[in-house]
C-alpha cells in the first residue's frame, strides 16, 4: 500500500485518474471522531471486494480522522488501484494508492428548517448491477446531471434510471412517506447506497421500492439526505422544464425521520415547526 497522502499528488499512470478505477468515501468528522464510520468502512470493503482492490489496513484508516483536526470537518478518502497494467487490464498484483484530504465544513441549518427546492433531471442513470450501491470514482453521470441547471434556488436534482425508476439525487439519497409508510428507492441496479441511508434503515422500517416519479406525487413528505448534510425536507419539486410537479410544507411530518438522522450525525434535532 502506498503511503496515504494529505496533499494528493497522483502520477499520470494512476488507474483512478486514467479509468476511475477506485473508490472514495466522504466522512463527517467532529473533533477527530468520525460519524457513521462502521457504515463507511463496510461500504469501502464491499467496493474493494467487487473491484478486487486490497482493503487498506484498519489501523491505517482508523488514524485518519484524528489527523483531520479539531472542529467539524469533511474527510475525503480516495482509494485507487494504483499504477500499472496495460490498457484496461489491471496489473496482476495491485499496489493501491490511498489519498486523503480534510476540509472545514459549515452546515446549512436553514435547509434543515425550511426545506429545499429540487428538480427532475433529464439524464437517466445507466443500469449496472455489479456496481450498484458502490461509491466508485466513475461519477460522470452525476457531473452531467449537475450541469443541467444553474438556478441558485434549485438545490438538487432527482435522478431516474434508464427504465424511468426513481434512484437518488445527484449527491444525496431520496426518501419519502407515502400512505404513512417510509420508502426509499431500491438500489440493485445503480445508485449510491449512502451510509446515512444504511444507518436509518437499521433503526427504522423503511421499505425499498422500485417506483417512478408518480410515487412522489402521492407522498405526504419527501426528503433528501446524506452523511454530511443531514436530512433536508423537499418543499418543491419541479420538472426538468421548470414546471411544478409537487409542493409540501416543512412541518411535523418531516421531523420524525429528520430527528433520527440528526441524532446519528450530532446535528440539531429540534425545529420550530
Amino acid at each position: 500500500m502506498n503511503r496515504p497522502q494529505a496533499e494528493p499528488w497522483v502520477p499520470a499512470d494512476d488507474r483512478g485518474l486514467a479509468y476511475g478505477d477506485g473508490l472514495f468515501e466522504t466522512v463527517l468528522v467532529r473533533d477527530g471522531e468520525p460519524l457513521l464510520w462502521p457504515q463507511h468502512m463496510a461500504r469501502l470493503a464491499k467496493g474493494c471486494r467487487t473491484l478486487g482492490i486490497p482493503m487498506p489496513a484498519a489501523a491505517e484508516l482508523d488514524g485518519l480522522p484524528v489527523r483531520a483536526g479539531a472542529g467539524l470537518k469533511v474527510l475525503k478518502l480516495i482509494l485507487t488501484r494504483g499504477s500499472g497494467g496495460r490498457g484496461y487490464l489491471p496489473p496482476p498484483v495491485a499496489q493501491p494508492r490511498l489519498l486523503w484530504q480534510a476540509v472545514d465544513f459549515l452546515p446549512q441549518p436553514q435547509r434543515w428548517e425550511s426545506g429545499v427546492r429540487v428538480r427532475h433531471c433529464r439524464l437517466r442513470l445507466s443500469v449496472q448491477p455489479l456496481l450498484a450501491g458502490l461509491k466508485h470514482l466513475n461519477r460522470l453521470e452525476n457531473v452531467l446531471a449537475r450541469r443541467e441547471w444553474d438556478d441558485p434556488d434549485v438545490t438538487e436534482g432527482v435522478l431516474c434510471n434508464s427504465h424511468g425508476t426513481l434512484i437518488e439525487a445527484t449527491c444525496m439519497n431520496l426518501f419519502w412517506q407515502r400512505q404513512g409508510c417510509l420508502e426509499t428507492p431500491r438500489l440493485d441496479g445503480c445508485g449510491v447506497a449512502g451510509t446515512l441511508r444504511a444507518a436509518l434503515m437499521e433503526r427504522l422500517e423503511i421499505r425499498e421500492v422500485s417506483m417512478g416519479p408518480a410515487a412522489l406525487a402521492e407522498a405526504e413528505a419527501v426528503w433528501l439526505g446524506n452523511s454530511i448534510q443531514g436530512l433536508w425536507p423537499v418543499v418543491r419539486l419541479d420538472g426538468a422544464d421548470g414546471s411544478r410537479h409537487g409542493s409540501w410544507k416543512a412541518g411535523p411530518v418531516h421531523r420524525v425521520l429528520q430527528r433520527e438522522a440528526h441524532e446519528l450525525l450530532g446535528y440539531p434535532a429540534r425545529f420550530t415547526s
Side-chain angles (χ1 to χ4, degrees), residues 188-211:
D188 54 358
C190 57
V192 175
T195 54
L196 178 61
R197 176 182 181 271
L200 286 172
M201 293 179 70
E202 291 170 3
R203 293 166 67 114
L204 300 171
E205 185 176 348
I206 302 177
R207 300 190 306 194
E208 293 182 283
V209 298
S210 297
M211 299 189 69

Side-chain angles (χ1 to χ4, degrees), residues 15 50 61 88 107 110 119 122 129 132 149 161 176 185 251 261 271:
R15 295 184 62 85
T50 300
L61 291 166
Y88 291 129
Q110 73 278 9
R119 72 190 291 275
R122 293 186 178 87
W149 80 94
N161 65 17
W176 62 85
F271 303 91

Side-chain angles (χ1 to χ4, degrees), residues 21-38:
D21 189 0
L23 305 155
F24 74 105
E25 295 287 333
T26 48
V27 184
L28 187 67
V29 179
R30 192 182 302 276
D31 294 323
E33 290 294 327
L35 285 304
L36 302 181
W37 189 248

Side-chain angles (χ1 to χ4, degrees), residues 3-271:
R3 185 177 181 180
Q5 300 177 53
E7 295 297 332
W9 180 86
V10 180
D13 65 351
D14 184 271
R15 295 184 62 85
L17 177 63
Y19 307 119
D21 189 0
L23 305 155
F24 74 105
E25 295 287 333
T26 48
V27 184
L28 187 67
V29 179
R30 192 182 302 276
D31 294 323
E33 290 294 327
L35 285 304
L36 302 181
W37 189 248
Q39 289 84 358
H40 283 288
M41 293 300 97
R43 184 173 61 186
L44 183 64
K46 180 180 179 182
C48 285
R49 291 193 299 271
T50 300
L51 298 185
I53 297 175
M55 178 77 170
E60 186 175 23
L61 291 166
D62 291 346
L64 295 181
V66 174
R67 296 170 68 182
L72 195 62
K73 307 283 186 178
V74 173
L75 173 66
K76 183 167 186 177
L77 310 176
I78 300 176
L79 179 67
T80 78
R81 195 181 301 274
S83 301
R86 182 186 177 114
Y88 291 129
L89 180 66
V93 179
Q95 295 292 325
R97 180 169 284 111
L98 178 63
L99 310 171
W100 68 275
Q101 181 184 47
V103 297
D104 293 332
F105 180 66
L106 186 63
Q108 301 181 67
Q110 73 278 9
R111 294 180 175 175
W112 300 333
E113 182 73 36
S114 301
V116 296
R117 176 182 167 190
V118 303
R119 72 190 291 275
H120 283 290
C121 293
R122 293 186 178 87
L123 182 136
R124 294 291 181 260
L125 295 171
S126 303
V127 175
Q128 174 46 267
L130 189 61
L131 298 176
L134 304 185
K135 201 159 187 179
H136 54 74
L137 293 176
N138 290 276
R139 306 256 63 102
L140 280 178
E141 290 179 324
N142 303 71
V143 171
L144 291 174
R146 185 57 188 87
R147 290 186 67 240
E148 289 187 20
W149 80 94
D150 58 8
D151 183 345
D153 292 331
V154 176
T155 306
E156 253 287 17
V158 174
L159 289 161
C160 292
N161 65 17
S162 56
H163 304 305
T165 304
L166 289 168
I167 299 297
E168 61 189 2
T170 64
C171 65
M172 307 183 85
N173 284 126
L174 177 64
F175 307 87
W176 62 85
Q177 179 177 303
R178 189 173 59 95
Q179 299 176 356
C181 297
L182 293 172
E183 298 177 335
T184 192
R186 188 178 303 279
L187 303 179
D188 54 358
C190 57
V192 175
T195 54
L196 178 61
R197 176 182 181 271
L200 286 172
M201 293 179 70
E202 291 170 3
R203 293 166 67 114
L204 300 171
E205 185 176 348
I206 302 177
R207 300 190 306 194
E208 293 182 283
V209 298
S210 297
M211 299 189 69
L216 301 181
E218 301 170 357
E220 298 99 45
V222 181
W223 302 261
L224 297 179
N226 66 27
S227 62
I228 303 298
Q229 299 288 356
L231 214 62
W232 297 340
V234 173
V235 296
R236 175 171 166 176
L237 173 63
D238 293 344
D241 60 358
S243 60
R244 185 175 296 200
H245 281 210
S247 61
W248 303 263
K249 182 179 179 181
V253 69
H254 291 91
R255 303 314 182 191
V256 175
L257 185 60
Q258 201 172 32
R259 280 194 293 270
E260 292 283 348
H262 286 200
E263 285 176 4
L264 289 164
L265 299 174
Y267 286 150
R270 292 181 178 272
F271 303 91

